[in-house]
Amino acid sequence: MVTNNNIFKPGENCWVSSEARFATPLIDCANYYKALHSAIVKAKHSIFIIGWDIDSRIRLLRGEDEANSEAPSLVSDLLAWKAEQNPDMKIYLLRWDSSLAFFAQREMWAKEVWEEKTPDNVHTELDDTIPMGGSQHQKIVVVDDEIVFSGGMDVSTNRWDTRDHPVISDERKGPDGEYAPLHDVQMVSSGPVVKDFAELVRWRWERVANEKPIDMRDDADTSVSSSLPATWPSDYPPMFENIECALARTIPFMDEVEPAQEVRTMLLDLIEEAESFIYIENQFTTRQEIAEALNKRMKACPDLHVILVSSYEPKGKFECEAFWASRIEFKAILEKGIDPKRVRLTYSSIEDMQGRKAYKRIHSKVMTIDDKYLVIGSSNLSNRSMTLDTEIDVVLHGNSEHNRKYIKEVRNDLLAEHTGRKLEAMPPLFEQEYPVDALMHEQIAHGYVLTEVRDEVFTTTSVDNLFRAISDPEEPLISVPTFDGAALPARNPRRRSIMIMLGLAVIAILGGLLFWASHSISWLSADHINAFLEKSRGTYFALPTVLLVYVVGGILFFPVTILSLAVAAIFGPIWGPVYGIMGALLSSAILFGIGKLSGNAGLRKIGGPKVEAVDAKLKKSGIVGVAAIRMLPIAPFSLVNLAAGISSIGLWQFLIGTFLGMFPPMIAKGLVGDSITQIFRNPSVETISYLAGGIILWGLMIWGSQKFARYYQERKQNAANERDEEECAV
């Protein structure tokens, strides 16, 4: 029976009660990214993207769609292309600031990357206003104030997948290589609800940026009688029409903002409305209050059946002990005193005909209550999503036969995917006495199947522990007392502040080690090195000794000029430079290798886009660029070696450039070093003249290298400009 009465109570279980003229779910990321690409291409006025992450490296299109598209697929290129097409358009990107906990997956210097890749009408901010321990978890895109995307999906790494979720996929590649199948759900809507989202994203932006964004469009038609908007994504016809909806938020207490726990209240109220079947798919199920509500409702309604779909395997110790251990308790509360045929907590997995297994990672946040309500949002069934993170859920109410039919179809479609069935095979299962039990049986071999979770294979039931307190808290991790006796939650530390602190810590540690070495290692001084080299002069061990001194000195950041002068003073103006350049090349190669390993381990990422820009210039200038750097005393010898290893330049390019840049000054240093020795042994006008000549030659080489480097760079730039002009003329 259709009823127009819904449970929406603005100010209690929702922020606003509204209506969507059109709405349709976008299941799995391939569909969402394709739809998002289509909407961005059509945009003319403004784009707001609010997310846990917004990664500039993500390709929105794949396969034939990418090959046939005239617009760029890479999201950063697409937004830059769109902004350049229409300079009056405004694009706003608001991403959660804190990212060190997700170092391997997220772009470390997100703001700088976006600013470098996009024109001035693309604005980027990082949200650092969330209380410590919480996260910015709303995932919203508003296009031209006429359509809105909302749900569980970010434009982020390790998200893209298709609805068939193959065991092996060439396109499922992330920063750490191939990732497992991943399932998620987003929704696109139009009509009056878009205005509410447009207000929300502008409020979020203004709080962080301290500037007013572009005004809402006066001509945006968001009425219930409007036709399909111009920006509605191609290939995704609307499913729901004129459907009542509500927006429920979680807003933590931050910067004197009124907190809201509408998501928590809404979910509890929805469970109380269930009569026949509750379907839930959610990334995390740890909130005991939800398990208790489900159990209570099943006991009150003997005909009510519940099935939950979540993930199988935890990622890391924190997730295991915070979420999987808590899920053991959640499951026990949920099933207590209930016939097991009526309720199951499950995961979806596959073993194909080649015997390859895959476990589908569930990232979606979906709930259906009979055929009356459909929730598509960002909130997990966790403590943090109910109280500490920023969340937004859309709750659709089946206010017509048409809309109720499609709420049921969305549920059946999702369960068909997870059980390897066809959509038309689903309705008969719900007509049986125990539909949950029917779903679990007679699933198709070598397709996806649902299996009951047994989290004891990963961990044991535990009381509150450190992992849970940090990963799934209800309250901010740190609160700061105020003068009036209250407590204000501390913010998550800014990414820039964390990086500065880490940099200072590294500098302090290196400085402390060098200070300790200089006072504790007696041979680490110019006098001891000279004495050590002096003993090898005239022996077969002369060259190995010099090589050893350069390698050890390079690792300990000992000044190469002092080493070169010492070698020249001991071995003379001929063999001194020869031995010196061989030692410098060996030391350079070893430190280059250390830098390469460090860069691959993530040091290149810490450097950010500015380091990448320097890297590009170094790679472009090649051997001559390295030679110029070697001739100019602009950075320590060892630091240049490490930096070159982190960069993209090849080892042989680097060594040839090092030889060309260091050997001429090495000869000058040979003259200086040998002259100093001769002055002490036989002071005369001749030896003093050699010393002065060597110093002058050294200075002239530095001056000449500067001139040559500038000349070479200008010549290359002019040649590049001429090529560009010729290409334009053609």
Side-chain angles (χ1 to χ4, degrees), residues 271-272 274-275 293-304 338 342:
I271 291 169
E272 282 295 310
E275 295 175 346
L294 290 167
N295 181 270
K296 179 182 176 182
R297 187 61 182 170
M298 279 190 286
K299 287 177 178 176
C301 298
D303 294 331
L304 177 61
I338 304 297
R342 293 175 57 201

Side-chain angles (χ1 to χ4, degrees), residues 12-85:
E12 295 183 26
N13 64 9
C14 62
W15 172 45
V16 292
S17 175
S18 188
E19 188 168 348
R21 174 67 179 97
F22 298 109
T24 196
L26 301 166
I27 302 175
D28 291 316
C29 218
N31 286 314
Y32 170 46
Y33 283 1
K34 182 179 177 181
L36 179 62
H37 186 278
S38 174
I40 290 174
V41 169
K42 297 176 181 180
K44 295 180 179 179
H45 174 263
S46 61
I47 299 171
F48 287 82
I49 303 179
I50 310 291
W52 179 86
D53 189 17
I54 310 170
D55 196 300
S56 70
R57 302 168 293 181
I58 302 303
R59 288 161 48 227
L60 297 181
L61 301 180
R62 312 290 169 104
E64 291 184 4
D65 290 328
E66 186 173 31
N68 297 332
S69 175
E70 295 181 2
S73 172
L74 198 71
V75 66
S76 53
D77 292 344
L78 177 65
L79 291 177
W81 172 79
K82 194 66 192 176
E84 288 166 356
Q85 274 188 340

Side-chain angles (χ1 to χ4, degrees), residues 480-608:
V480 180
T482 59
F483 291 109
D484 59 1
L488 193 65
R491 292 182 176 186
N492 279 310
R494 293 184 178 183
R495 169 193 51 85
R496 191 181 297 275
S497 300
I498 293 174
M499 294 306 300
I500 291 172
M501 290 170 60
L502 285 175
L504 292 174
V506 170
I507 291 171
I509 291 170
L510 288 175
L513 288 173
L514 290 174
F515 180 81
W516 172 83
S518 64
H519 286 76
S520 303
I521 304 176
S522 59
W523 48 265
L524 193 60
S525 66
D527 292 339
H528 283 86
I529 291 173
N530 284 343
F532 183 64
L533 291 170
E534 185 72 44
K535 291 179 181 178
S536 69
R537 188 171 63 175
T539 71
Y540 293 111
F541 301 104
L543 180 58
T545 301
V546 172
L547 298 179
L548 176 63
V549 166
Y550 267 92
V551 170
V552 174
I555 294 173
L556 296 176
F557 276 63
F558 196 84
V560 70
T561 299
I562 295 177
L563 291 179
S564 301
L565 291 172
V567 169
I570 293 169
F571 296 100
I574 296 176
W575 289 110
V578 173
Y579 287 172
I581 195 63
M582 294 174 71
L585 290 174
L586 179 60
S587 181
S588 297
I590 291 173
L591 285 170
F592 180 94
I594 294 173
K596 182 67 70 178
L597 293 174
S598 301
N600 292 339
L603 200 56
R604 179 200 295 267
K605 187 174 182 178
I606 294 176

Side-chain angles (χ1 to χ4, degrees), residues 344-373:
R344 293 288 170 86
L345 177 53
T346 67
Y347 64 88
S348 183
S349 64
I350 188 173
E351 182 174 354
D352 65 13
M353 298 184 69
Q354 287 77 41
R356 301 175 300 186
K357 293 184 178 180
Y359 300 94
K360 190 187 299 179
R361 180 81 175 178
I362 302 297
H363 193 263
S364 50
K365 301 92 171 59
V366 173
M367 178 185 288
T368 64
I369 304 295
D370 303 332
D371 60 355
K372 296 184 290 188
Y373 294 96

Side-chain angles (χ1 to χ4, degrees), residues 594-727:
I594 294 173
K596 182 67 70 178
L597 293 174
S598 301
N600 292 339
L603 200 56
R604 179 200 295 267
K605 187 174 182 178
I606 294 176
K610 300 303 180 184
V611 168
E612 291 182 5
V614 173
D615 174 21
K617 292 177 181 178
L618 183 62
K619 187 178 181 181
K620 186 176 180 181
S621 60
I623 292 172
V624 174
V626 174
I629 290 173
R630 287 305 194 192
M631 289 181 180
L632 303 174
I634 58 174
F637 171 77
S638 299
L639 184 61
V640 171
N641 296 333
L642 287 172
I646 296 170
S647 76
S648 304
I649 197 169
L651 174 61
W652 289 111
Q653 272 187 308
F654 177 66
L655 291 180
I656 293 171
T658 295
F659 175 82
L660 295 175
M662 288 193 71
F663 196 55
M666 195 77 76
I667 295 171
K669 292 175 188 176
L671 290 174
V672 172
D674 184 64
S675 299
I676 293 174
T677 304
Q678 296 300 325
I679 287 173
F680 280 106
R681 292 178 179 174
N682 181 27
S684 64
V685 174
E686 184 179 2
T687 55
I688 294 173
S689 299
Y690 276 125
L691 175 61
I695 293 173
I696 292 171
L697 179 60
W698 191 354
L700 287 173
M701 286 184 172
I702 292 174
W703 177 80
S705 66
Q706 291 176 323
K707 291 290 186 182
F708 178 74
R710 290 196 189 98
Y711 166 76
Y712 177 79
Q713 293 294 347
E714 290 174 1
R715 185 176 176 183
K716 287 195 70 175
Q717 186 61 48
N718 291 335
N721 293 338
E722 290 176 2
R723 285 196 302 271
D724 292 341
E725 291 175 0
E726 290 175 359
E727 290 174 0

Side-chain angles (χ1 to χ4, degrees), residues 85-102:
Q85 274 188 340
N86 183 1
D88 293 329
M89 169 178 266
K90 299 294 183 182
I91 299 175
Y92 301 92
L93 310 177
L94 180 62
R95 194 199 84 154
W96 181 38
D97 188 10
S98 297
S99 60
L100 288 180
F102 306 94

